[in-house]
Amino acid sequence: MATFSSGEAHDDAAARHAHVVGWGMAVPESALTNDELSTFVDTSDDWIFARTGIRQRFIADEGESTATLAYRAAQQALEVADILPTDLDLIVVATSTPENIFPSTASLVQDWLNAHDAGAFDLSAACSGFVYALNMAADSIRAGSIGAALVIGAETMSRILDWQDRSTCILFGDGAGAVVLQASPAPGGVLSSVLRSDGAGSDLLAIPSVGSIDADESRASTNGNKLYKMYMAGSEVFRFATRVISESIEQTCTAAGIQVTDIDLVIPHQANLRILQAAARKLGLDADKFMSNVEHYGNTSAASIPIALCEAIEQQRIQDKDHIALVGFGGGLTWAAMLIRWGVPEPREQHGSMLNRQRRHVQYRIARWRSRSRRWRRRVDRKVREIRD
Ligand code: COA
């Protein structure tokens, strides 16, 4: 298996393709059904299911966070790809609910995995974030600057929901999905991408944070927005979503030189079943060409596409050489579509070699030890300096 490190020069850059070679997902232990939700929010299972297709979502417990979910999904993706964390050159976490404003969630995952040769950063493009991040990683691979990237979408939306606002809190859930993207001379993989933004719609869907103009109390009380809580103009977002899904998929097909009817499966951001059905109608595709699992997970923002991808693979809805369209849309406003020609790894690779599995587990243990010993050494150094001064 060819692996590249960021510092190496790659003569064959022109012939490099970016393939998805590993995938994984993680959700919290606890599910919250619509019926349970309606015991503390003025809503009902009938209303939620009819308007959105959602029946339940997963909610992080105290010990779970964006980073812990991202880490679990990442471990699975490395397992399927059968590569070591030290083979990674880049880790990107797409999230709107990062563990901290900084350091990035990606840096925490990098440390916990012992991926000591990887750069790491978080990417903010709301529910489009995963496709944006995958595009960044694919471009770096095709340009020859990296050989392998771990791209994660991870969220704990439950922590930024206003649980008094029934028009938003019923929609979202927590989770993470990850893929390993790797350079290969084999044609296929990521074929084309379309990234778009319309900041004029920034007031339709947002979570004000420390740097926000809404951090000013008087302004926040005028427009009614709460710091660190999501607000949304639901029906306008609905119309925006149905328009951009079809538009961006058509654009990415044109860029790849294929017809929309050549698409074998669309893996859209899982916001609302009605949005997906309307988009399928606009594109002239059968609704069953749109993967949907919103019923079980709700809208997990940047995590929804990689989670849906994992389930599509598990359900054997993706075959070798299939054309797969990913499409995300959300706050920004942002939207993004990507076309992939799937190349399923050989079964031998999918199950991972025994030796590599053991080496990965050793690396995870080393990661914990290395991180603790570095912190301990810094503390000792500080004490020594204090005593000396
Ligand atoms: N339970 C029961 N009633 C509710 C409710 C809830 N959870 N939320 C809103 N309602 C009520 C409203 O108060 C309103 O009542 P009224 O007619 O007495 O004023 C009524 O239902 C209709 O509200 P409306 O907002 O027009 O509903 P809608 O058909 O537009 O559906 C959404 C609301 C949020 C489901 C829908 O707009 C949507 O899915 N939008 C896209 C959101 C999205 O996917 N965002 C993320 C993109 S990344």
Side-chain angles (χ1 to χ4, degrees):
M1 184 166 24
T3 55
F4 303 86
S5 62
S6 1
E8 277 177 56
H10 306 298
D11 297 337
D12 58 341
R16 286 153 59 89
H17 302 271
H19 284 265
V20 175
V21 297
W23 46 84
M25 59 171 278
V27 289
E29 291 279 309
S30 316
L32 178 70
T33 63
N34 291 346
D35 284 329
E36 287 163 337
L37 187 59
S38 61
T39 60
F40 59 95
V41 176
D42 181 16
T43 189
S44 65
D45 178 49
D46 285 348
W47 194 96
I48 299 172
F49 187 68
R51 304 271 171 140
T52 68
I54 298 167
R55 284 274 190 218
Q56 64 161 44
R57 71 288 293 141
F58 289 85
I59 304 290
D61 290 333
E62 254 176 36
E64 294 169 315
S65 71
T66 299
T68 66
L69 293 169
Y71 175 59
R72 281 172 47 206
Q75 284 182 307
Q76 266 186 30
L78 289 173
E79 202 68 26
V80 175
D82 194 21
I83 66 168
L84 301 178
T86 43
D87 292 332
L88 293 170
D89 301 311
L90 180 68
I91 300 175
V92 190
V93 176
T95 184
S96 299
T97 50
E99 195 84 9
N100 310 287
I101 288 175
F102 71 84
S104 70
T105 306
S107 285
L108 300 181
V109 173
Q110 172 272 312
D111 182 44
W112 297 346
L113 290 174
N114 193 36
H116 54 65
D117 287 336
F121 67 96
D122 288 356
L123 185 147
S124 164
C127 306
S128 319
F130 182 76
V131 183
Y132 267 69
L134 207 55
N135 176 66
M136 298 291 116
D139 278 353
S140 301
I141 285 175
R142 288 185 299 209
S145 56
I146 64 167
L150 176 64
V151 180
I152 306 171
E155 304 279 11
T156 38
M157 299 303 286
S158 60
R159 304 222 163 114
I160 49 81
L161 290 174
D162 178 353
W163 289 99
Q164 321 268 295
D165 177 5
R166 67 180 182 170
S167 67
T168 53
C169 74
I170 56 141
L171 299 173
F172 295 89
D174 302 337
V179 302
V180 173
L181 207 59
Q182 198 172 38
S184 163
V190 176
L191 300 181
S192 64
S193 312
V194 171
L195 310 185
R196 294 286 186 273
S197 170
D198 173 14
S202 57
D203 55 337
L204 298 181
L205 179 56
I207 308 166
S209 177
V210 282
S212 169
I213 209 152
D214 285 338
D216 174 330
E217 285 296 324
S218 58
R219 195 177 164 102
S221 58
T222 318
N223 64 18
N225 300 332
K226 297 180 189 162
L227 209 54
Y228 303 119
K229 295 293 171 204
M230 176 190 293
Y231 65 85
M232 179 179 72
S235 52
E236 285 175 78
V237 172
F238 194 104
R239 277 195 298 279
F240 146 76
T242 51
R243 177 174 58 81
V244 299
I245 293 174
S246 49
E247 249 177 48
S248 58
I249 288 182
E250 279 165 354
Q251 287 165 345
T252 197
C253 284
T254 305
I258 69 158
Q259 305 294 316
V260 169
T261 45
D262 293 332
I263 295 175
D264 296 289
L265 189 67
V266 179
I267 305 200
H269 167 48
Q270 305 288 311
N272 180 321
L273 190 58
R274 282 164 57 225
I275 292 179
L276 306 189
Q277 289 165 342
R281 275 197 302 276
K282 268 195 165 187
L283 280 168
L285 290 177
D286 282 350
D288 65 9
K289 280 212 170 173
F290 270 61
M291 174 71 195
S292 176
N293 60 7
V294 71
E295 183 173 349
H296 301 292
Y297 302 102
N299 177 344
T300 56
S301 191
S304 86
I305 293 176
I307 289 176
L309 176 68
C310 287
E311 293 210 325
I313 294 166
E314 197 183 300
Q315 293 165 14
Q316 301 187 327
R317 292 184 68 178
I318 300 182
Q319 309 301 328
D320 199 17
K321 308 265 189 315
D322 274 1
H323 284 113
I324 309 299
L326 311 184
V327 59
F329 48 91
L333 299 169
T334 55
W335 61 103
M338 173 180 279
L339 205 69
I340 297 175
R341 194 161 81 235
W342 197 256
V344 179
E346 297 297 311
R348 179 186 57 78
E349 289 176 71
Q350 279 190 32
H351 292 109
S353 73
M354 226 19 208
L355 181 63
N356 274 350
R357 183 165 300 168
Q358 279 162 3
R359 288 167 74 194
R360 273 188 297 275
H361 285 286
V362 169
Q363 290 203 357
Y364 300 148
R365 256 182 254 130
I366 289 174
R368 255 173 276 160
W369 175 84
R370 187 171 171 263
S371 198
R372 266 189 227 132
S373 74
R374 284 186 164 211
R375 285 190 188 135
W376 183 80
R377 250 192 10 231
R378 269 200 303 273
R379 269 201 293 271
V380 170
D381 284 352
R382 212 169 34 234
K383 274 272 170 260
V384 169
R385 274 199 308 275
E386 278 168 17
I387 293 166
R388 217 179 34 213
D389 301 339

